[in-house]
Amino acid sequence: MKRTIKVCYFSILREEAGCSDEQVETHADTPANLYAELLERHSFTLPQSDLRVAVNEVFQPWDTSLEDNDEVVFIPPVSGG
């Protein structure tokens, strides 16, 4: 089943994707599968294990089921101080 997902990027992911958000047409059924697809598309340097994921503004496990029109945010580690 094809889904339309809004994906938001922060920090290094935003730089590597060249945008802060995008609408993605995908067959990915979980955030893990979606990130694998986007990692290949944008050549992201961060592995999934370094990220957290939120679906519709709530932190979720990587195996959460995605629905059409969900919003997914991939959150890289925060540094600074």
Side-chain angles (χ1 to χ4, degrees):
M1 178 180 161
K2 201 170 205 182
R3 297 163 180 79
T4 301
I5 305 292
K6 180 179 180 182
V7 182
C8 298
Y9 304 110
F10 295 100
S11 188
I12 191 169
L13 296 178
R14 181 179 58 229
E15 293 171 23
E16 292 175 346
C19 59
S20 59
D21 62 74
E22 65 180 331
Q23 295 281 8
V24 177
E25 296 284 325
T26 183
H27 289 283
D29 58 348
T30 66
N33 292 338
L34 179 61
Y35 188 73
E37 182 181 303
L38 295 170
L39 181 115
E40 187 173 314
R41 179 186 302 177
H42 294 300
S43 301
F44 290 142
T45 56
L46 291 176
Q48 176 189 317
S49 59
D50 287 355
L51 304 172
R52 299 222 28 216
V53 65
V55 179
N56 301 322
E57 301 182 1
V58 177
F59 285 112
Q60 297 288 350
W62 284 93
D63 61 354
T64 298
S65 294
L66 293 177
E67 302 294 331
D68 196 37
N69 298 313
D70 278 348
E71 179 180 85
V72 175
V73 181
F74 296 111
I75 304 164
V78 177
S79 63

Coordinates of all heavy atoms in Angstrom, one line a residue:
M1 N 0.8 -1.2 0.0 CA 0.0 0.0 0.0 C 0.9 1.2 0.0 O 1.8 1.4 0.8 CB -0.9 0.0 1.2 CG -1.8 1.2 1.4 SD -2.8 1.0 2.9 CE -3.2 2.7 3.1
K2 N 0.7 2.1 -0.9 CA 1.4 3.4 -1.0 C 0.8 4.4 0.0 O -0.4 4.5 0.1 CB 1.4 3.9 -2.4 CG 2.5 4.8 -2.7 CD 2.5 5.1 -4.2 CE 3.9 5.5 -4.6 NZ 4.0 5.8 -6.0
R3 N 1.7 5.1 0.7 CA 1.3 6.1 1.6 C 2.0 7.5 1.3 O 3.1 7.5 0.7 CB 1.8 5.7 3.0 CG 1.2 4.5 3.6 CD 2.1 4.0 4.7 NE 1.5 2.8 5.3 CZ 1.7 1.6 4.7 NH1 2.4 1.4 3.7 NH2 1.2 0.5 5.3
T4 N 1.3 8.5 1.6 CA 2.0 9.9 1.6 C 2.3 10.2 3.0 O 1.5 10.3 3.9 CB 1.0 10.9 1.0 OG1 0.6 10.5 -0.3 CG2 1.6 12.3 0.9
I5 N 3.6 10.5 3.2 CA 4.1 10.8 4.6 C 4.8 12.1 4.5 O 5.6 12.4 3.6 CB 5.1 9.7 5.0 CG1 4.5 8.3 5.0 CG2 5.7 10.0 6.4 CD1 3.4 8.0 6.0
K6 N 4.5 13.0 5.5 CA 5.3 14.2 5.6 C 6.5 13.9 6.5 O 6.3 13.4 7.6 CB 4.5 15.4 6.2 CG 5.3 16.6 6.4 CD 4.5 17.8 7.0 CE 5.4 19.0 7.0 NZ 4.7 20.1 7.7
V7 N 7.7 14.2 6.0 CA 8.9 13.9 6.8 C 9.6 15.2 7.1 O 9.7 16.1 6.2 CB 9.9 13.0 6.0 CG1 11.1 12.7 6.8 CG2 9.2 11.7 5.5
C8 N 10.0 15.4 8.4 CA 10.6 16.6 8.8 C 12.1 16.3 9.2 O 12.3 15.2 9.8 CB 9.9 17.3 10.0 SG 8.2 17.8 9.6
Y9 N 13.0 17.1 8.9 CA 14.4 16.9 9.2 C 14.9 18.1 10.0 O 14.6 19.2 9.9 CB 15.2 16.9 7.9 CG 14.8 15.8 6.9 CD1 14.2 16.2 5.7 CD2 15.0 14.5 7.1 CE1 13.8 15.3 4.8 CE2 14.5 13.5 6.2 CZ 14.0 14.0 5.0 OH 13.5 13.0 4.1
F10 N 15.9 17.7 10.9 CA 16.5 18.7 11.8 C 18.0 18.5 11.7 O 18.5 17.4 11.3 CB 16.1 18.6 13.2 CG 14.7 18.9 13.5 CD1 13.7 17.9 13.6 CD2 14.2 20.2 13.5 CE1 12.4 18.2 13.8 CE2 12.9 20.5 13.7 CZ 12.0 19.5 13.8
S11 N 18.8 19.6 12.0 CA 20.2 19.5 12.1 C 20.9 18.9 10.9 O 20.6 19.4 9.7 CB 20.6 18.7 13.4 OG 21.9 18.8 13.7
I12 N 21.8 18.0 11.0 CA 22.6 17.5 9.9 C 21.7 16.8 8.9 O 22.0 16.8 7.7 CB 23.7 16.5 10.4 CG1 24.6 16.2 9.3 CG2 23.1 15.3 11.1 CD1 25.9 15.5 9.7
L13 N 20.6 16.2 9.3 CA 19.7 15.6 8.3 C 19.1 16.6 7.4 O 18.9 16.4 6.2 CB 18.6 14.8 9.0 CG 19.0 13.6 9.9 CD1 17.8 12.9 10.5 CD2 19.8 12.6 9.0
R14 N 18.7 17.8 7.9 CA 18.2 18.9 7.1 C 19.3 19.3 6.1 O 19.0 19.5 4.9 CB 17.8 20.0 8.0 CG 17.2 21.2 7.2 CD 16.8 22.4 8.0 NE 17.9 22.9 8.8 CZ 17.8 23.1 10.1 NH1 16.7 22.9 10.8 NH2 18.9 23.5 10.8
E15 N 20.5 19.4 6.5 CA 21.6 19.8 5.6 C 21.8 18.7 4.5 O 21.9 19.1 3.4 CB 22.9 20.0 6.4 CG 22.8 21.2 7.3 CD 24.0 21.2 8.3 OE1 25.1 20.6 7.9 OE2 23.9 21.8 9.4
E16 N 21.8 17.5 4.9 CA 22.1 16.4 3.9 C 20.9 16.2 3.0 O 21.1 15.9 1.8 CB 22.4 15.1 4.7 CG 23.7 15.2 5.4 CD 24.1 14.0 6.2 OE1 23.2 13.1 6.5 OE2 25.2 13.9 6.6
A17 N 19.7 16.4 3.4 CA 18.5 16.3 2.6 C 18.3 17.5 1.7 O 17.7 17.5 0.6 CB 17.2 16.1 3.4
G18 N 18.8 18.7 2.1 CA 18.7 19.9 1.4 C 17.3 20.6 1.6 O 16.9 21.4 0.8
C19 N 16.6 20.1 2.6 CA 15.3 20.7 2.9 C 14.9 20.4 4.3 O 15.5 19.5 4.9 CB 14.2 20.2 2.0 SG 14.0 18.4 2.0
S20 N 14.0 21.2 4.9 CA 13.6 20.9 6.3 C 12.4 19.9 6.4 O 12.2 19.3 7.4 CB 13.2 22.2 7.0 OG 12.2 22.9 6.3
D21 N 11.7 19.8 5.3 CA 10.6 18.8 5.2 C 10.3 18.5 3.8 O 10.6 19.2 2.9 CB 9.4 19.3 6.0 CG 8.8 20.5 5.4 OD1 8.1 20.4 4.3 OD2 8.9 21.6 6.0
E22 N 9.6 17.3 3.6 CA 9.2 16.9 2.3 C 8.0 16.0 2.4 O 7.9 15.3 3.4 CB 10.3 16.3 1.5 CG 10.9 15.0 2.0 CD 12.0 14.5 1.2 OE1 12.1 14.7 0.0 OE2 12.9 13.8 1.8
Q23 N 7.2 15.9 1.3 CA 6.1 14.9 1.2 C 6.7 13.7 0.5 O 7.3 13.9 -0.6 CB 4.9 15.4 0.4 CG 4.2 16.6 1.1 CD 3.3 16.1 2.2 OE1 3.3 14.9 2.6 NE2 2.5 17.0 2.8
V24 N 6.6 12.5 1.0 CA 7.2 11.3 0.4 C 6.1 10.4 0.1 O 5.3 10.0 0.9 CB 8.2 10.7 1.4 CG1 8.8 9.4 0.8 CG2 9.3 11.7 1.7
E25 N 6.1 9.9 -1.2 CA 5.2 8.8 -1.6 C 6.0 7.5 -1.3 O 7.1 7.4 -1.9 CB 4.8 8.9 -3.0 CG 4.0 10.1 -3.4 CD 2.6 9.9 -2.9 OE1 2.0 8.8 -3.0 OE2 2.0 11.0 -2.5
T26 N 5.5 6.6 -0.5 CA 6.4 5.4 -0.1 C 5.5 4.2 0.1 O 4.3 4.3 0.4 CB 7.2 5.8 1.2 OG1 8.0 4.7 1.5 CG2 6.3 6.1 2.3
H27 N 6.1 3.1 0.0 CA 5.5 1.8 0.4 C 6.0 1.4 1.8 O 5.6 0.3 2.3 CB 5.8 0.7 -0.6 CG 5.1 0.9 -1.9 ND1 3.8 0.6 -2.1 CD2 5.6 1.3 -3.1 CE1 3.4 0.8 -3.3 NE2 4.5 1.3 -4.0
A28 N 6.9 2.2 2.4 CA 7.4 1.9 3.7 C 6.3 1.8 4.7 O 5.4 2.7 4.8 CB 8.4 2.9 4.2
D29 N 6.3 0.8 5.6 CA 5.2 0.6 6.5 C 5.6 0.9 8.0 O 4.8 0.9 8.9 CB 4.7 -0.8 6.4 CG 5.7 -1.9 6.7 OD1 6.9 -1.6 6.7 OD2 5.3 -3.1 6.8
T30 N 6.9 1.2 8.2 CA 7.4 1.6 9.5 C 8.4 2.7 9.3 O 9.0 2.9 8.3 CB 8.1 0.4 10.2 OG1 9.3 0.1 9.5 CG2 7.2 -0.8 10.3
P31 N 8.7 3.5 10.4 CA 9.7 4.5 10.3 C 11.1 3.9 10.0 O 11.9 4.5 9.3 CB 9.7 5.1 11.7 CG 8.3 4.9 12.2 CD 7.9 3.5 11.7
A32 N 11.4 2.7 10.4 CA 12.7 2.0 10.1 C 12.8 1.8 8.6 O 13.8 2.1 8.0 CB 12.8 0.7 10.8
N33 N 11.7 1.3 8.0 CA 11.8 1.1 6.5 C 11.8 2.4 5.8 O 12.5 2.6 4.8 CB 10.6 0.3 6.1 CG 10.6 -1.1 6.6 OD1 11.7 -1.6 6.9 ND2 9.5 -1.8 6.7
L34 N 11.1 3.4 6.3 CA 11.1 4.8 5.7 C 12.5 5.4 5.8 O 13.0 5.9 4.8 CB 10.1 5.7 6.3 CG 10.0 7.1 5.8 CD1 9.7 7.1 4.3 CD2 9.0 7.9 6.6
Y35 N 13.2 5.3 6.9 CA 14.5 5.8 7.1 C 15.5 5.1 6.1 O 16.3 5.8 5.5 CB 15.0 5.8 8.5 CG 16.3 6.6 8.7 CD1 16.3 8.0 8.6 CD2 17.5 5.9 8.8 CE1 17.5 8.7 8.7 CE2 18.7 6.7 8.9 CZ 18.7 8.0 8.8 OH 19.8 8.7 8.9
A36 N 15.4 3.8 6.0 CA 16.3 3.1 5.1 C 16.1 3.6 3.7 O 17.1 3.8 3.0 CB 16.0 1.6 5.2
E37 N 14.9 3.8 3.3 CA 14.6 4.4 1.9 C 15.2 5.8 1.8 O 15.9 6.1 0.8 CB 13.1 4.4 1.7 CG 12.6 4.9 0.4 CD 11.1 4.9 0.3 OE1 10.5 3.9 0.5 OE2 10.6 6.0 0.1
L38 N 15.0 6.6 2.8 CA 15.5 8.0 2.7 C 17.0 8.1 2.9 O 17.7 8.9 2.3 CB 14.8 8.9 3.8 CG 13.3 9.0 3.5 CD1 12.7 9.7 4.7 CD2 13.0 9.8 2.3
L39 N 17.6 7.2 3.6 CA 19.1 7.1 3.8 C 19.7 6.9 2.4 O 20.7 7.6 2.1 CB 19.4 5.9 4.7 CG 20.9 5.7 5.0 CD1 21.1 6.0 6.5 CD2 21.3 4.3 4.7
E40 N 19.1 6.0 1.6 CA 19.7 5.8 0.3 C 19.4 7.0 -0.6 O 20.3 7.4 -1.4 CB 19.0 4.5 -0.3 CG 19.6 4.1 -1.6 CD 19.0 2.8 -2.1 OE1 18.9 1.8 -1.2 OE2 18.6 2.7 -3.2
R41 N 18.3 7.6 -0.6 CA 17.9 8.7 -1.4 C 18.8 9.9 -1.2 O 19.2 10.6 -2.1 CB 16.4 9.1 -1.2 CG 16.0 10.3 -2.1 CD 14.6 10.7 -1.8 NE 13.7 9.7 -2.0 CZ 12.4 9.8 -1.8 NH1 11.9 10.9 -1.4 NH2 11.6 8.8 -2.0
H42 N 19.0 10.2 0.1 CA 19.7 11.4 0.5 C 21.2 11.2 0.9 O 21.9 12.2 1.3 CB 19.0 12.2 1.6 CG 17.6 12.7 1.2 ND1 17.5 13.6 0.2 CD2 16.4 12.4 1.7 CE1 16.2 13.9 0.1 NE2 15.5 13.2 1.0
S43 N 21.6 10.0 1.0 CA 23.0 9.6 1.4 C 23.2 10.1 2.8 O 24.3 10.7 3.1 CB 24.0 10.2 0.5 OG 23.8 9.6 -0.8
F44 N 22.3 9.9 3.7 CA 22.5 10.3 5.1 C 23.7 9.7 5.7 O 24.0 8.5 5.5 CB 21.2 10.0 6.0 CG 20.0 10.8 5.7 CD1 18.8 10.3 5.7 CD2 20.1 12.2 5.4 CE1 17.6 11.0 5.4 CE2 19.0 13.0 5.1 CZ 17.7 12.4 5.1
T45 N 24.4 10.4 6.6 CA 25.6 9.8 7.2 C 25.3 9.2 8.6 O 26.1 8.5 9.1 CB 26.7 10.9 7.4 OG1 26.1 12.0 8.1 CG2 27.2 11.4 6.0
L46 N 24.1 9.5 9.2 CA 23.8 9.0 10.5 C 23.1 7.6 10.4 O 22.1 7.6 9.6 CB 22.9 9.9 11.3 CG 23.5 11.2 11.8 CD1 22.5 12.1 12.4 CD2 24.7 10.9 12.7
P47 N 23.5 6.6 11.1 CA 22.8 5.4 11.1 C 21.5 5.5 11.9 O 21.4 6.4 12.8 CB 23.7 4.4 11.8 CG 24.6 5.2 12.6 CD 24.7 6.6 11.9
Q48 N 20.5 4.7 11.7 CA 19.3 4.7 12.4 C 19.5 4.6 13.9 O 18.8 5.3 14.7 CB 18.4 3.6 11.9 CG 17.1 3.5 12.7 CD 16.3 2.2 12.4 OE1 16.2 1.8 11.2 NE2 15.8 1.5 13.4
S49 N 20.4 3.9 14.3 CA 20.7 3.7 15.7 C 21.1 4.9 16.5 O 20.9 5.0 17.7 CB 21.8 2.6 16.0 OG 23.0 3.0 15.3
D50 N 21.5 6.0 15.8 CA 21.8 7.3 16.4 C 20.6 8.2 16.5 O 20.8 9.3 17.0 CB 22.9 8.0 15.6 CG 24.3 7.3 15.8 OD1 24.4 6.4 16.6 OD2 25.2 7.7 15.1
L51 N 19.5 7.8 16.0 CA 18.3 8.7 15.9 C 17.2 8.3 16.8 O 17.1 7.1 17.2 CB 17.8 8.7 14.4 CG 18.8 9.1 13.3 CD1 18.2 8.9 12.0 CD2 19.2 10.6 13.5
R52 N 16.3 9.2 17.0 CA 15.0 8.9 17.6 C 14.0 9.3 16.6 O 14.2 10.1 15.7 CB 14.7 9.8 18.9 CG 15.8 9.5 19.9 CD 15.3 9.4 21.3 NE 14.0 8.9 21.6 CZ 13.3 9.4 22.7 NH1 13.8 10.3 23.5 NH2 12.1 8.9 22.9
V53 N 12.8 8.7 16.7 CA 11.7 9.0 15.7 C 10.4 9.4 16.4 O 10.1 8.8 17.5 CB 11.5 7.8 14.7 CG1 11.0 6.6 15.5 CG2 10.6 8.2 13.6
A54 N 9.8 10.4 15.8 CA 8.4 10.8 16.3 C 7.5 10.6 15.2 O 7.8 11.0 14.0 CB 8.5 12.2 16.8
V55 N 6.3 10.1 15.5 CA 5.2 10.0 14.5 C 4.0 10.8 15.1 O 3.6 10.5 16.2 CB 4.8 8.5 14.3 CG1 3.7 8.4 13.3 CG2 6.0 7.7 13.8
N56 N 3.6 11.7 14.3 CA 2.5 12.6 14.7 C 2.8 13.2 16.1 O 1.9 13.2 17.0 CB 1.2 11.9 14.6 CG 0.9 11.4 13.2 OD1 1.2 12.0 12.3 ND2 0.3 10.2 13.1
E57 N 4.0 13.7 16.3 CA 4.4 14.5 17.4 C 4.6 13.6 18.7 O 4.6 14.2 19.8 CB 3.5 15.7 17.7 CG 3.4 16.6 16.5 CD 2.6 17.8 16.8 OE1 2.0 18.0 17.9 OE2 2.5 18.7 15.9
V58 N 4.7 12.3 18.6 CA 4.9 11.4 19.7 C 6.0 10.5 19.4 O 6.1 9.9 18.4 CB 3.6 10.6 20.0 CG1 3.8 9.7 21.2 CG2 2.4 11.5 20.3
F59 N 7.0 10.4 20.4 CA 8.1 9.5 20.2 C 7.5 8.1 20.1 O 6.7 7.7 20.9 CB 9.1 9.6 21.3 CG 10.0 10.8 21.3 CD1 9.9 11.8 22.2 CD2 10.9 10.9 20.3 CE1 10.7 12.9 22.2 CE2 11.8 12.0 20.2 CZ 11.6 13.0 21.2
Q60 N 8.1 7.3 19.1 CA 7.5 6.0 18.9 C 8.7 5.0 18.6 O 9.8 5.4 18.2 CB 6.7 6.0 17.6 CG 5.4 6.8 17.7 CD 4.4 6.2 18.6 OE1 4.5 5.1 19.0 NE2 3.4 7.0 18.9
P61 N 8.4 3.7 18.8 CA 9.4 2.7 18.4 C 9.6 2.7 16.9 O 8.7 3.1 16.1 CB 8.8 1.4 18.9 CG 7.6 1.7 19.7 CD 7.3 3.1 19.4
W62 N 10.7 2.2 16.4 CA 11.0 2.2 15.0 C 10.1 1.2 14.2 O 10.0 1.3 13.0 CB 12.5 1.8 14.8 CG 13.4 3.0 15.1 CD1 14.0 3.3 16.2 CD2 13.7 4.0 14.2 NE1 14.7 4.4 16.1 CE2 14.6 4.9 14.9 CE3 13.4 4.3 12.8 CZ2 15.1 6.1 14.3 CZ3 13.9 5.5 12.3 CH2 14.8 6.3 13.0
D63 N 9.4 0.3 14.9 CA 8.6 -0.7 14.2 C 7.1 -0.3 14.2 O 6.2 -1.0 13.9 CB 8.8 -2.1 14.7 CG 8.4 -2.2 16.2 OD1 8.1 -1.1 16.9 OD2 8.4 -3.3 16.7
T64 N 6.8 1.0 14.6 CA 5.4 1.5 14.6 C 4.9 1.5 13.2 O 5.6 1.8 12.2 CB 5.4 2.9 15.2 OG1 5.9 2.9 16.5 CG2 4.0 3.6 15.1
S65 N 3.6 1.1 13.0 CA 3.0 1.1 11.7 C 2.7 2.5 11.3 O 2.2 3.3 12.0 CB 1.7 0.3 11.7 OG 1.9 -1.0 12.0
L66 N 3.0 2.8 10.0 CA 2.7 4.1 9.4 C 1.4 4.1 8.7 O 1.0 3.1 8.1 CB 3.8 4.5 8.5 CG 5.2 4.8 9.1 CD1 6.2 5.1 8.0 CD2 5.1 6.0 10.1
E67 N 0.7 5.2 8.7 CA -0.6 5.4 8.0 C -0.4 6.5 7.0 O 0.4 7.4 7.2 CB -1.7 5.7 9.0 CG -1.9 4.6 10.1 CD -2.4 3.3 9.6 OE1 -3.1 3.3 8.5 OE2 -2.1 2.3 10.2
D68 N -1.3 6.5 6.1 CA -1.3 7.6 5.1 C -1.5 9.0 5.8 O -2.3 9.1 6.8 CB -2.5 7.4 4.1 CG -2.4 8.2 2.9 OD1 -1.2 8.5 2.4 OD2 -3.4 8.7 2.4
N69 N -0.8 9.9 5.4 CA -0.8 11.3 5.9 C -0.2 11.5 7.3 O -0.4 12.5 8.0 CB -2.2 11.9 5.9 CG -2.8 12.0 4.5 OD1 -2.1 12.5 3.6 ND2 -4.0 11.5 4.3
D70 N 0.6 10.5 7.8 CA 1.3 10.7 9.0 C 2.4 11.7 8.8 O 2.9 11.9 7.7 CB 2.0 9.3 9.5 CG 1.0 8.4 10.2 OD1 -0.1 8.9 10.6 OD2 1.4 7.2 10.4
E71 N 2.9 12.3 10.0 CA 4.1 13.1 10.0 C 5.1 12.4 10.7 O 4.9 12.0 11.9 CB 3.8 14.5 10.6 CG 5.0 15.4 10.6 CD 4.7 16.7 11.3 OE1 4.8 16.8 12.5 OE2 4.4 17.7 10.5
V72 N 6.3 12.2 10.1 CA 7.4 11.6 10.8 C 8.6 12.5 10.9 O 8.9 13.2 10.0 CB 7.9 10.3 9.9 CG1 9.1 9.7 10.5 CG2 6.7 9.3 9.8
V73 N 9.2 12.6 12.1 CA 10.3 13.4 12.4 C 11.5 12.5 12.8 O 11.3 11.8 13.8 CB 10.0 14.5 13.4 CG1 11.2 15.4 13.7 CG2 8.8 15.3 13.1
F74 N 12.6 12.6 12.1 CA 13.8 11.9 12.5 C 14.7 12.9 13.3 O 15.0 14.0 12.8 CB 14.5 11.4 11.3 CG 13.8 10.3 10.5 CD1 13.3 10.6 9.3 CD2 13.5 9.1 11.1 CE1 12.5 9.7 8.5 CE2 12.7 8.2 10.4 CZ 12.3 8.5 9.1
I75 N 15.0 12.5 14.5 CA 15.7 13.5 15.4 C 17.1 13.0 15.7 O 17.3 12.0 16.4 CB 14.9 13.6 16.7 CG1 13.5 14.0 16.4 CG2 15.5 14.6 17.7 CD1 12.4 13.8 17.4
P76 N 18.1 13.7 15.2 CA 19.5 13.4 15.5 C 19.9 13.7 16.9 O 19.2 14.5 17.6 CB 20.3 14.2 14.4 CG 19.4 15.3 14.1 CD 18.0 14.9 14.3
P77 N 21.0 13.2 17.3 CA 21.5 13.6 18.7 C 21.8 15.1 18.8 O 22.1 15.7 17.8 CB 22.8 12.8 18.8 CG 23.1 12.1 17.5 CD 21.9 12.3 16.6
V78 N 21.5 15.6 19.9 CA 21.7 17.0 20.1 C 23.1 17.2 20.8 O 23.4 16.5 21.8 CB 20.6 17.6 21.0 CG1 20.9 19.1 21.3 CG2 19.3 17.4 20.3
S79 N 23.9 18.2 20.3 CA 25.1 18.5 21.0 C 25.2 20.0 21.3 O 24.3 20.7 20.8 CB 26.3 18.1 20.1 OG 26.3 18.9 18.9
G80 N 26.1 20.3 22.1 CA 26.2 21.7 22.5 C 26.3 21.8 24.0 O 26.3 20.8 24.7
G81 N 26.3 23.0 24.5 CA 26.4 23.2 25.9 C 26.7 24.5 26.4 O 26.7 25.5 25.9

